[in-house]
Amino acid sequence: MSRKTGQNGFRKACRVGQKISYFWEHPALTAFLLSFLMLFLYSLIQGIYPFGKITFLRKDLYHQYLPFLYELRRRLLSGESLKYSFDLGLGSSFYGMYVYYLSDPLNFLSVLVPEKYLLEFLTFITYLKISLCSSNMCIYLRYKNKETAPVYAVLLSLCYGFSGYIASFDWNVMWMWGIALAPLAIMGMEKLFRYQDGIKSVFIYSWILFFIIWTNYYIAMIILLFSAVYFLVLCVEEYGGIIKLFTAALRFAFCSALSLCMAGMFLIPEWEIIRDTSFSGNDLPDKIKFYLMPWELMVRSLVSVKVETGLGHEPGIYASLAVLFLVPLFFLNKKIDLKHRIVRGVLVIFFYLSFDMNVLEFIWHGLNYPDSIPARQAFLLVFILVSLAYETLPGIKEMGIIRCAISMVFPLVIYGVSLALCREDSHTDGSTWILSGIFILLYVLILIIYVLKNEEYGKWGMSVFFLLLVFELLINLNLTSSRDISRKSYFRHVDNYRELVKTAENREKLNQGHFSRFDTVEENIRNLSCTVGYSDASYFSSTIDNKAEDFYKDFGMKASKVHYMAEGITPFTSAILGVGYILADNLRNNETDYDVSFYLEEAGEDYLYECMFALPFGYTVPEGHHGFLDDDSFYDPIDRQNKVAMKLGGDEIFHRVNDDDLFEDSGIAKIEIAESGHYYAYTDEDIDEITEYVDFQDEAYGEFEDMKYESIMDLGRLEEGTKVRLETDEESKTGYLETSVYRLDPGNLKELIEEMTLDPFTLTEFSDDHIEAICEVSDGRELVLALPVSKGWEVTLDGKEKIEPLSFYGLLMKLSLPSGVHHISLDYHIPGFSTGLIISLIALIINMTGTVLFLFGNRKQKASVG
């Protein structure tokens, strides 16, 4: 080899060395880039588009976040109202939904992205935030100790960015800014406590906390609760006298209050909305209850433990097996202050109790019990464990063989106990035990070599440890955050439904072409109306008014704290809610629905029907009380609809099948159809799935799922002499499949509809936050609007008089007007927004003024020194 060739090789090696050195000199950047690379590999392995046909969609990202982003983008581009939206189910506060789900400022960039790539845009910014989780954790670790080699800060920061919590809930994109910024917020709080950077620490902490609150108030609430707990921890660890603690407490309280006030324009309107949901008004538990055994918490620290996203209590606290080796050494390290070790140990125990004790769970979740997704504060325990592991590193060489041996035994004990007692756990499988066992043994081997052969370890051990940890985290991410939803299946209805909605809107006459509402029979996306752009009788959101939940349950439709669904809807409830059209993916009930709706159009494999019994946006009802009384609880929902129909001036619209024609037994109900017509059935048995069969056919005529919501079953049109079987494999609470069956009377329903539309109602203007109409109200009748009554709507009569809306069966808006012809105008104003905006502006001015004065004074001071 020539001297020139050798020199060139040496220069290349130097350049490579310089580049590597650059990355270790900037560990936060390295952590970010390494995280993004791991997410890129994850996308390749999972086959996420454009590397395959699968998407990043899971859970609420599937049903809520992406559809809501479509709604935001459409409104930004069209200039439609950002206050209220009729695309949110029957109609709901758009601003309330925005604050809860979409307040990440990056979402505004969606207007720059072609609609067909909106999913990939959301995936990309989620990857950015996950990478920032690692990067910001690295910044915090380096703040704690800059003497430790940067490579350790990078590696342990990955344990936070790819923790079991994030692998479990990476789809929950609205939380990601809070999780990513939590390490910086905690670092700012520590500086604030110590007044480490003087007045600068005040502004840094308040701005970071404000941004967290802005992006998602819920996760900000959890971080604020932790900050209060952590403040007490610092008070004990760094006690320096009452005066110092008092001034630190004042700084903490002032900055926290200032941040909350800056976010007033988000928090106050959101509070006005949340207080009307089913999540408010819960009481502190009167008895202490524990959910989990110790080993059920232990197993959550292992690799490939399945995610709990339902009503269970298992937390996502995996932080890599390497952390399990290092944390015991923190408590065994005599060079670390004893008080510090004791206080941190108490903090860890407190967190484990928070997952297990109902009172602490209730407090952590905002004085509420979560409807799903347990232990939402678990990312903070991961933060604590990673921090303790990092503090351990500088003293490992001096720990001695015995204490290192104890640290090796600790994960082995967790593994052994979990294997013995949790092998049948629904959250574990063979991969949990095989992978966890292999990785634990490999880490034990590396630690032994590190203790006994430190010089040899220095040559290659760090590289092996680096690769092993990255490999472990990547495997866990792929196994616990597996994706299986194809792009094609997710968007299969969007284009067809848009075409069909446009067809319906073009022919709409009932509301003068201003408004149409749909019942979506095939709704593979719960909020498909947001993706497509139409008003639906279904909605899935944590911001739904509890009045909608009550109404839907009373009338036999599916509803919970977080959704109301049109499954269980009848022609009567459909008419009351203002539904005029039906979107479906097949000819409903084998083309037998011609007595309740008729075919209009089709697009691809999807179909549009028009409801045979429809009411306009405004209709009149007899004057009087329109709400359920105590004795109504004795009626089933179909009978209850009969009672409402008669109160509205009609006759029975559902006729109950005679007991002689109904046979009930264990897991089965048989009905012999005595008269042709459209039939509905109801059961309040504690059963999840029921299948309908006709005559002696083995093919299901109807399938009813999620019957835990006790919704009405639409049996379809059945001809005289038909024998129907309702079957379930589940055991009912009475031992019988007790069922009530009814036949629709179209004639009586038609007469009632005609009675309710005798008084003309004409829409003259209709937008999401402003409605105008001309209506005529007869003597002794009241006007009902197919609009949920809620705070924010202001009604003006004949251009001058403000009138207070009433409610129709707790949900719809009812107006008591003098008889005659009237002009009504409705305007929506965001409740609490004006007050919140004023508070925000004052707080922002205070903080911005202080920040500018600090920066100016700091620059002036530097100039004078120079």
Side-chain angles (χ1 to χ4, degrees), residues 585-603:
D585 70 334
N586 55 31
L587 294 170
R588 299 183 67 217
N589 274 329
N590 302 311
E591 305 184 32
T592 64
D593 274 1
Y594 57 80
D595 50 358
V596 296
S597 63
F598 54 87
Y599 167 85
L600 277 183
E601 188 66 78
E602 62 186 86

Side-chain angles (χ1 to χ4, degrees), residues 90-351:
L90 299 172
S92 185
S93 169
F94 179 85
Y95 189 78
M97 182 277 290
Y98 164 79
V99 172
Y100 196 97
Y101 290 101
L102 296 176
S103 50
D104 176 1
L106 292 179
N107 287 332
F108 286 99
L109 297 177
S110 63
V111 297
L112 306 176
V113 179
E115 187 184 68
K116 64 180 179 179
Y117 297 124
L118 204 55
L119 169 56
E120 284 63 50
F121 165 76
L122 192 55
T123 304
F124 178 75
I125 62 174
T126 304
Y127 283 6
L128 282 178
K129 294 172 192 175
I130 294 174
S131 300
L132 282 172
C133 288
S134 301
S135 179
N136 291 338
M137 187 69 206
C138 187
I139 291 172
Y140 176 81
L141 295 178
R142 293 293 290 164
Y143 159 73
K144 296 296 288 184
N145 186 351
K146 290 187 178 179
E147 300 302 318
T148 304
V151 63
Y152 290 111
V154 172
L155 284 176
L156 288 178
S157 69
L158 295 178
C159 297
Y160 179 78
F162 291 86
S163 66
Y165 186 94
I166 289 178
S168 301
F169 306 132
D170 54 4
W171 48 268
N172 207 326
V173 296
M174 67 180 185
W175 291 355
M176 280 302 157
W177 266 126
I179 299 166
L181 291 173
L184 297 187
I186 296 166
M187 181 178 76
M189 204 271 280
E190 288 189 25
K191 289 185 174 183
L192 184 70
F193 179 87
R194 303 180 185 114
Y195 208 51
Q196 193 167 332
D197 294 328
I199 195 68
K200 178 181 176 182
S201 62
V202 171
F203 301 118
I204 289 177
Y205 176 70
S206 57
W207 281 116
I208 292 173
L209 187 57
F210 162 64
F211 189 75
I212 293 173
I213 299 169
W214 176 6
T215 56
N216 185 251
Y217 80 92
Y218 185 87
I219 211 72
M221 172 195 67
I222 292 174
I223 292 172
L224 268 171
L225 283 172
F226 175 76
S227 297
V229 173
Y230 197 64
F231 181 85
L232 296 176
V233 168
L234 293 177
C235 286
V236 175
E237 288 183 344
E238 302 181 26
Y239 179 75
I242 296 296
I243 295 177
K244 285 188 177 181
L245 288 186
F246 181 72
T247 54
L250 281 179
R251 287 194 299 269
F252 175 65
F254 171 77
C255 290
S256 300
L258 185 62
S259 300
L260 289 167
C261 288
M262 287 194 290
M265 62 183 295
F266 305 117
L267 296 179
I268 293 177
E270 194 66 17
W271 166 244
E272 291 290 338
I273 291 164
I274 292 298
R275 65 194 293 190
D276 289 331
T277 69
S278 297
F279 290 102
S280 64
N282 293 315
D283 297 325
L284 190 72
D286 54 1
K287 292 183 180 179
I288 293 177
K289 179 182 177 182
F290 293 93
Y291 302 122
L292 303 169
M293 300 302 290
W295 47 86
E296 292 176 301
L297 286 170
M298 286 182 186
V299 75
R300 306 302 300 179
S301 300
L302 301 180
V303 177
S304 185
V305 178
K306 292 183 178 63
V307 177
E308 173 56 52
T309 57
L311 296 176
H313 301 277
E314 293 81 357
I317 54 175
Y318 164 82
S320 87
L321 295 169
V323 169
L324 288 185
F325 282 91
L326 294 173
V327 168
L329 291 175
F330 170 85
F331 296 103
L332 295 171
N333 192 342
K334 294 182 179 179
K335 289 196 172 182
I336 297 175
D337 182 64
L338 179 60
K339 183 168 68 172
H340 179 55
R341 284 183 281 159
I342 292 173
V343 171
R344 297 290 161 148
V346 171
L347 183 61
V348 171
I349 293 170
F350 169 74
F351 260 95

Side-chain angles (χ1 to χ4, degrees), residues 482-753:
S482 179
R483 258 61 185 191
D484 59 2
I485 298 167
S486 75
R487 212 171 185 278
K488 183 178 180 181
S489 68
Y490 183 78
F491 292 108
R492 64 181 180 270
H493 295 303
V494 173
D495 291 336
N496 293 342
Y497 278 11
R498 278 185 180 158
E499 185 178 334
L500 296 174
V501 166
K502 189 175 181 180
T503 298
E505 291 173 344
N506 288 339
R507 75 185 308 278
E508 168 61 47
K509 296 179 181 178
L510 198 61
N511 293 305
Q512 298 75 50
H514 287 293
F515 176 76
S516 305
R517 179 167 287 151
F518 298 80
D519 166 20
T520 313
V521 174
E522 168 53 25
E523 200 168 28
N524 67 308
I525 307 169
R526 287 274 183 93
N527 291 310
L528 186 57
S529 60
C530 295
T531 307
V532 176
Y534 62 88
S535 179
D536 196 4
S538 300
Y539 186 38
F540 175 34
S541 168
S542 293
T543 61
I544 66 168
D545 197 310
N546 55 21
K547 294 189 288 290
E549 178 188 355
D550 295 339
F551 179 94
Y552 271 59
K553 285 181 177 178
D554 287 336
F555 281 96
M557 293 176 281
K558 294 181 180 177
S560 73
K561 288 182 177 182
V562 295
H563 75 260
Y564 57 82
M565 309 298 292
E567 293 178 61
I569 200 168
T570 68
F572 178 62
T573 48
S574 173
I576 285 176
L577 293 172
V579 174
Y581 300 92
I582 300 166
L583 295 167
D585 70 334
N586 55 31
L587 294 170
R588 299 183 67 217
N589 274 329
N590 302 311
E591 305 184 32
T592 64
D593 274 1
Y594 57 80
D595 50 358
V596 296
S597 63
F598 54 87
Y599 167 85
L600 277 183
E601 188 66 78
E602 62 186 86
E605 297 180 354
D606 297 315
Y607 300 86
L608 174 68
Y609 299 84
E610 186 169 0
C611 296
M612 191 169 292
F613 307 100
L615 287 168
F617 187 78
Y619 51 87
T620 62
V621 297
E623 194 175 37
H625 171 78
H626 295 101
F628 292 118
L629 304 174
D630 292 339
D631 60 350
D632 291 324
S633 61
F634 294 104
Y635 296 91
D636 69 47
I638 305 178
D639 225 355
R640 193 174 290 125
Q641 291 182 38
N642 271 334
K643 186 172 182 180
V644 172
M646 289 188 284
K647 189 164 185 177
L648 297 181
D651 293 324
E652 265 195 358
I653 55 177
F654 297 100
H655 301 300
R656 189 161 186 158
V657 170
N658 294 327
D659 290 341
D660 295 340
D661 297 325
L662 180 61
F663 170 77
E664 298 164 338
D665 203 347
S666 179
I668 191 168
K670 296 180 181 179
I671 311 111
E672 187 165 334
I673 303 302
E675 184 176 347
S676 298
H678 203 104
Y679 282 80
Y680 297 87
Y682 176 79
T683 180
D684 62 356
E685 298 288 355
D686 189 15
I687 287 170
D688 198 47
E689 294 184 7
I690 297 175
T691 305
E692 175 191 8
Y693 298 95
V694 172
D695 292 328
F696 300 102
Q697 297 177 9
D698 293 328
E699 185 178 348
Y701 189 70
E703 294 178 325
F704 309 100
E705 300 176 345
D706 290 331
M707 294 304 294
K708 62 186 177 182
Y709 294 111
E710 299 182 3
S711 59
I712 294 169
M713 294 175 279
D714 183 348
L715 303 183
R717 181 176 176 84
L718 301 167
E719 301 301 326
E720 181 182 346
T722 303
K723 291 179 172 55
V724 179
R725 305 187 320 275
L726 298 177
E727 295 184 4
T728 180
D729 295 331
E730 303 167 51
E731 186 176 339
S732 63
K733 60 187 177 185
T734 61
Y736 294 87
L737 185 56
E738 290 190 356
T739 309
S740 52
V741 183
Y742 296 80
R743 177 180 57 84
L744 173 70
D745 189 325
N748 286 351
L749 180 55
K750 182 180 179 183
E751 289 179 7
L752 177 59
I753 295 293

